[in-house]
Amino acid sequence: MPRPLGELEDAVMTRVWKWNRPVTVREVLEDLRQERSIAYTTVMTVLDNLHQKGWVRREAEGRAYRYEAVSTRAAYAAALMNDAWSQSDNPAAALVAFFGMMSEEQRQALQDAVRIVGGPTEENPDSASRDGGR
């Protein structure tokens, strides 16, 4: 399970995920500088660390690298949720508490996700048995 990203790592990965293409240190730096004062070497170090941790792959381009995300932000969020849930001594209670924290919009997104994977929903409780339990 991946460790949660630090604040600066998250800021860098947000750009890599958003742009969804190989990026250079300079591109990330210029975008980050719209929000904060930051050095080129800092961004370079963060991207190198993300590479060593397996978050990005890189390809040499001249004397520099282009970095690309290994997985999506959605996969990252799912891994964090799964890790937190698996650490509970009562997973059912943890899920109930989590669902209780959700907004109506989040609950709807959850129902949509369950529908996509073919599980039962409030509107269609027998869909899993009809679809062979997928």
Side-chain angles (χ1 to χ4, degrees), residues 6 12-13 16 20 24 30 35 39-40 46 48 54 58 74-75 96 102 104 106 112-113 123 129 134:
V12 169
M13 282 305 300
V16 174
N20 196 28
T24 64
E30 289 173 5
E35 300 172 2
Y40 181 93
V46 170
D48 185 58
R58 66 185 181 192
V96 169
M102 293 177 135
E104 184 55 39
Q106 290 169 322
D112 292 345
E123 299 88 32
S129 60
R134 271 191 300 147

Side-chain angles (χ1 to χ4, degrees), residues 9 16 19 25 27 44 46 52 58-60 63 68 71 75-76 86 88-89 93 96 103 106-107 115 118 122 127:
E9 290 174 328
V16 174
W19 295 334
V25 171
E27 290 173 307
M44 184 175 64
V46 170
Q52 290 178 28
R58 66 185 181 192
E59 188 172 315
R63 293 177 29 193
E68 187 174 15
S71 67
Y76 167 66
S86 68
S88 173
D89 60 350
V96 169
S103 68
Q106 290 169 322
R107 280 192 209 79
R115 210 173 295 110
E122 283 181 23
S127 64

